[in-house]
C-alpha cells in the first residue's frame, strides 16, 4: 500500500480498531495514531512515496526468572504495549535503515560475517539476524526502513531484542511469506547479539518479544524450548503492572552482565558441567564448602539464586493459574529479594554512589506498604524496576515515583497479545 494511502487511513481513524487490538489501552490510541502518521511521513522524507509494509515488535517485561535463561532455566515473561515499528519498502540489494534519533545505517548482504567494526552496533544486529536466517535456509534480501521505538533504550525492557525481532519479522514478511517461526526469529536475534554485537545474553528477551503474550518458557532444550501461554490478566486481580525507569543507563555494563553467566558456569565446571541446568541441586548445596574455594563466594551466591529462582517460576505460574494473586505477589517479592541479596544485580560495583534502582525499590516499599510489591527488572545494575500495584493507588505510586525520577518515569503497562508482527 502506498504511504499516502496508509497515512490517510490512520488520520481518518480507519485503523483505530487495529491499534486498539495491538495496544489495548484506549488512553494511548491517539498517541499511537500520531506516532504511525509521523513515522510514515519520516519514511517519505527519506525514501519518497512508495509501496510499504508496517512491522512491529514489542518490548518485554520479565515477570519471573531473573538471569535464569542463560543457564537453560525457566522464565515467566510478557510482551508489553511499548514497541518498535518500522515502515518498510523492498529494495533490490542491501539494507538501508534509519532509526529515529540515530544515523542512517547501510548493511550490505554480500558479506554476512561478523566484524570487529560492527561490534556493539545496530548494523551488527541487522547483519547477524540476516546471517542466521540465511544459515537456516530462508531467503533474505534488501529493504529500506524508517524505525521508531518507544521501548526505553538501555532501561531493561529489551529495546535491542525488539529491534532484532523487528528485523527478523521484516525479512520473514518481505521474503518468506511470513513463514519464519517466532522461535527461530528469537534465536536469530540472540545469535546476532552474542556473535555479531558481542554481548552475552540468554534467549528470554528475544523470545518474549517474538512470541508475545504472558508466557512460561523452559529452556532445558534451548533449541526447542517449551513455551506455554499463561491466560491471566493482572487487572482481573485489580492490580497494574508498572515499570519505573530510574534513569540509570545500561551503557558500559556489558562486563557486569557477562560476569553473571561466567560465575554460574564456574560453579557448573566444578561438577564437570557447562551450565547449572546440568548440575543436581542437592549436590550443589552439599558441595558448597569446596565450591567456594574454587569459584568464590559471589559465584556460590549467584548459583543459589539460580537454583531457587528457576524453581520459583513454576510456583508463580501455579499461583496465577490457581488465581492466588497474593501468593503470586509473595513470590515476586522473594524473587526481588533473591536478586538483590544473592544475584547482586541491583547496582554496579563500578560506581557505588549510583544506586538508582535500590532507591526505587526502597521507596516502593515505603509507598506500597505491603499492598503491592516491587523487584529489579531485567538484566539489572541500572535501568528499571517492576511493581505490581493495586489499581486504587496506581496514581499515587506513579506520582511519587515521578517526583523522584522525573516526568514519565513510571509506565503503567498492559500485556500485549501479539509478539513480532506485520501490522499492515
Amino acid at each position: 500500500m502506498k504511504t499516502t494511502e496508509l497515512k490517510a487511513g490512520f488520520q481518518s481513524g480507519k485503523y483505530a480498531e487495529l491499534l486498539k487490538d495491538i495496544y489495548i489501552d484506549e488512553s494511548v490510541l491517539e498517541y499511537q495514531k500520531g506516532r504511525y502518521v509521523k513515522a510514515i511521513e519520516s519514511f517519505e522524507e527519506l525514501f519518497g512515496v512508495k509501496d510499504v509494509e508496517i512491522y512491529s515488535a514489542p518490548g518485554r517485561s520479565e515477570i519471573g526468572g531473573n538471569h535464569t535463561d542463560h543457564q537453560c532455566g525457566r522464565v515467566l515473561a510478557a510482551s508489553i504495549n511499548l514497541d518498535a515499528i518500522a515502515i518498510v519498502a523492498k529494495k533490490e540489494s542491501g539494507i538501508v535503515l534509519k532509526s529515529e534519533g540515530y544515523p542512517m545505517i547501510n548493511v550490505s548482504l554480500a558479506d554476512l560475517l561478523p566484524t570487529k567494526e560492527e561490534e556493539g552496533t545496530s548494523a551488527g544486529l541487522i547483519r547477524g539476524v540476516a546471517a542466521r536466517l540465511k544459515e537456516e535456509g530462508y531467503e533474505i534480501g534488501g529493504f529500506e526502513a524508517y524505525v521508531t521505538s518507544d521501548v526505553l533504550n538501555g532501561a531493561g525492557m529489551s529495546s535491542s531484542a525488539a529491534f532484532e525481532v523487528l528485523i527478523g519479522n521484516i525479512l520473514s514478511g518481505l521474503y518468506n511469506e511470513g513463514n519464519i517461526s517466532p522461535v527461530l526469529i528469537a534465536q536469530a536475534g540472540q545469535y546476532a547479539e552474542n556473535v555479531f554485537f558481542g554481548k552475552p545474553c540468554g534467549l528470554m528477551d528475544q523470545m518474549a518479544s517474538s512470541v508475545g503474550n504472558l508466557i512460561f518458557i523452559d529452556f532445558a532444550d534451548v533449541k526447542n524450548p517449551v513455551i506455554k501461554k499463561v491466560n491471566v490478566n493482572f487487572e482481573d486481580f485489580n492490580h497494574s503492572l508498572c515499570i519505573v525507569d530510574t534513569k540509570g543507563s545500561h551503557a558500559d555494563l556489558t562486563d557486569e552482565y557477562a560476569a553473571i553467566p561466567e560465575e554460574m558456569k564456574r560453579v557448573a565446571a566444578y561438577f564437570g558441567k557447562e551450565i547449572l541446568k546440568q548440575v543436581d541441586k542437592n549436590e550443589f548445596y552439599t558441595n558448597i564448602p569446596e565450591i567456594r574455594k574454587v569459584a568464590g563466594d559471589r559465584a556460590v551466591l549467584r548459583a543459589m539464586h539460580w537454583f531457587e529462582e528457576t524453581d520459583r517460576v513454576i510456583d508463580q505460574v501455579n499461583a496465577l493459574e490457581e488465581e492466588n494473586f497474593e501468593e503470586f505477589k509473595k513470590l515476586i517479592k522473594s524473587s526481588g529479594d533473591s536478586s538483590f541479596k544473592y544475584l547482586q544485580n541491583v547496582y554496579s560495583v563500578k560506581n557505588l554512589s549510583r544506586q538508582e534502582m535500590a532507591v526505587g525499590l526502597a521507596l516502593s516499599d515505603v509507598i506500597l506498604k505491603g499492598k503491592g510489591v516491587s523487584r529489579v527488572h531485567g538484566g539489572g545494575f541500572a535501568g528499571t524496576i517492576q511493581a505490581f500495584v493495586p489499581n486504587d493507588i496506581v496514581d499515587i505510586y506513579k506520582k511519587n515515583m515521578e517526583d523522584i525520577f522525573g516526568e514519565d518515569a513510571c509506565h503503567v503497562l498492559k500485556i500485549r497479545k501479539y509478539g513480532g508482527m506485520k501490522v499492515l
Side-chain angles (χ1 to χ4, degrees), residues 20 24 27 31 50-51 81 91 107 144 146 154 183 198 203 234 273 290 301 326 359 384 391 406:
K20 184 178 178 181
I24 307 109
S27 69
Y31 156 74
K50 294 186 177 182
D51 284 315
N81 60 339
K91 67 189 290 284
V107 177
E144 49 197 14
Y146 178 81
V183 171
L203 186 55
F234 297 129
K273 308 295 184 181
E290 292 303 313
L301 289 167
E326 289 306 307
V359 170
T384 56
N391 287 341

Side-chain angles (χ1 to χ4, degrees), residues 1 67 82 124 151 167 255 309 328 332 334 384 408 410 422:
M1 193 181 300
H67 278 281
L82 299 175
V151 183
I167 299 302
D255 56 343
E309 181 78 349
F328 170 75
I332 290 291
S334 296
T384 56
D408 296 326
C410 181
K422 179 178 176 179

Side-chain angles (χ1 to χ4, degrees), residues 237 315 317-325 327:
F237 302 100
D315 296 334
V317 172
N318 289 339
L320 288 173
E321 291 183 336
E322 292 165 7
E323 299 186 356
N324 188 345
F325 202 71
E327 177 62 20

Side-chain angles (χ1 to χ4, degrees), residues 11 78 148 163 179 186 191 206 214 218 222 233 266 298 302 314 348 375 391 398 404:
Q11 289 171 328
T148 182
F163 183 78
N179 290 328
Y191 172 78
Q206 292 83 1
L214 177 63
D218 189 332
V222 73
N233 184 345
R266 203 182 301 158
R298 190 172 72 167
R302 285 176 161 172
I314 296 289
S348 170
R375 66 190 281 272
N391 287 341
K398 179 177 172 64
I404 301 299

